[in-house]
Amino acid sequence: MENQIIQNLHAVRTKNPLVHNITNFVVMNNTANALLVIGASPVMIHAHKEVENIVKISNSLVINIGTLDDYWAESMLIAAKKANELNKPWILDPVGAGISTFRNELLKELLLYRPTAIRGNASEILALDAFETVYGKGVDSTHQSNQAIKAAQNLNQKIGSVVCISGASDFVVYDNQLIEIKNGHELMTKVTGLGCSATAIIGAFIGLNENPFVETISGMAIFSLAGELAQRKSNGPGSLQMNLYDMLYNLSAEEIQSNLKISVYED
């Protein structure tokens, strides 16, 4: 698995995939920078009159529902529909799933366009499976990532998406396969939008459009590992964010081989 992840990182850096983001305005700058340093090209477009055109020329689409209004919700639906029509890979970040009827109804519509991948915290994945309140604290999880594995498996069976649950351990679910990534660091929870950045990074990897399961694993593993290694050089959340960008930019095959902690389970 480590060799596949290294190969995918090299491919992103050399192929420079164009990643179309319709994301929340709290994290736009963060996610654009994360994509740039990993080797992708971000485009942040949400105008109704141009989203279809941008989907056509992009390698992948990222939809993050963090800061919703009616206009942005319609942009997301237009883009997801076009990506589905063109068979373009796209990832859904169901930020705050379960906290409002408006949010849940939008998510139900978006799922009709069968995202290639879904990444969220445990509470979001549980809510997305059940479409009911599961007592997340706003956009933060009140559940451990392993508590959402069954919900992730249900989503995969119903929709076909690769499902990634982020947390102290990250889990990636597809068919009868379960991957656990044990990298990352608790300090990452003190920087706004790192989960959203992880979604964007996965968006870059699925833009390779070869194997969405391995590409989702690759994006999540690279991001979590970069955060862990960056923390070793950091004095707090501010320096962590700066060091994370540098680590994503410089991360080597040797560092991946030496530090990646990944387990593979199959039914």
Side-chain angles (χ1 to χ4, degrees):
M1 181 63 70
E2 287 87 351
N3 288 336
Q4 291 175 294
I5 292 170
I6 291 166
Q7 290 168 8
N8 282 340
L9 177 58
H10 178 71
V12 168
R13 287 171 169 170
T14 56
K15 294 182 178 181
N16 188 227
L18 181 63
V19 184
H20 180 191
N21 297 263
I22 304 179
T23 189
N24 76 75
F25 47 73
V26 176
V27 303
M28 280 187 178
N29 184 67
N30 309 58
T31 54
N33 281 329
L35 286 165
L36 283 171
V37 299
I38 203 70
S41 291
V43 58
M44 326 296 276
I45 297 292
H46 62 270
H48 293 175
K49 294 182 179 180
E50 60 179 346
V51 288
E52 287 189 341
N53 291 331
I54 305 304
V55 170
K56 288 178 184 177
I57 66 171
S58 297
N59 296 102
S60 60
L61 168 69
V62 175
I63 292 181
N64 176 311
I65 68 164
T67 50
L68 280 182
D69 64 18
D70 289 331
Y71 189 94
W72 285 53
E74 185 63 25
S75 301
M76 293 171 184
L77 291 169
I78 294 168
K81 180 180 179 181
K82 180 56 65 174
N84 180 260
E85 288 175 358
L86 299 175
N87 201 28
K88 288 284 182 81
W90 73 280
I91 183 167
L92 173 65
D93 191 329
V95 179
I99 65 173
S100 73
T101 301
F102 175 46
R103 197 163 294 254
N104 283 353
E105 291 304 313
L106 174 63
L107 286 168
K108 288 178 185 178
E109 290 188 73
L110 287 169
L111 291 177
L112 295 175
Y113 300 117
R114 297 189 176 277
T116 309
I118 300 168
R119 190 221 61 88
N121 64 40
S123 292
E124 291 162 348
I125 298 302
L126 286 163
L128 199 62
D129 178 42
F131 281 115
E132 60 186 28
T133 301
V134 294
Y135 306 107
K137 188 176 67 176
V139 300
D140 296 326
S141 183
T142 55
H143 297 80
Q144 299 299 312
S145 52
N146 60 1
Q147 294 177 285
I149 291 172
K150 182 59 179 175
Q153 291 169 331
N154 290 341
L155 285 168
N156 171 245
Q157 290 169 5
K158 289 186 290 188
I159 301 164
S161 308
V162 180
V163 182
C164 178
I165 315 160
S166 59
S169 281
D170 307 309
F171 293 94
V172 183
V173 170
Y174 187 70
D175 285 345
N176 297 320
Q177 302 169 94
L178 174 66
I179 299 292
E180 182 179 9
I181 303 162
K182 301 174 186 177
N183 296 103
H185 192 273
E186 185 178 1
L187 189 62
M188 296 174 73
T189 64
K190 303 301 181 183
V191 180
T192 297
L194 288 195
C196 301
S197 295
T199 297
I201 294 296
I202 295 170
F205 277 84
I206 65 172
L208 299 173
N209 204 20
E210 296 288 342
N211 184 325
F213 178 53
V214 176
E215 289 158 1
T216 300
I217 295 165
S218 299
M220 195 68 234
I222 291 296
F223 192 82
S224 294
L225 176 58
E228 178 181 312
L229 297 180
Q231 183 275 331
R232 298 178 187 176
K233 303 178 180 181
S234 303
N235 296 317
S239 53
L240 173 67
Q241 185 168 15
M242 177 184 69
N243 290 327
L244 175 58
Y245 290 146
D246 289 348
M247 186 56 65
L248 287 169
Y249 183 76
N250 291 303
L251 190 64
S252 68
E254 292 74 22
E255 287 171 316
I256 295 170
Q257 290 281 11
S258 299
N259 296 282
L260 191 63
K261 298 186 285 285
I262 191 165
S263 299
V264 180
Y265 311 101
E266 293 190 26
D267 291 344

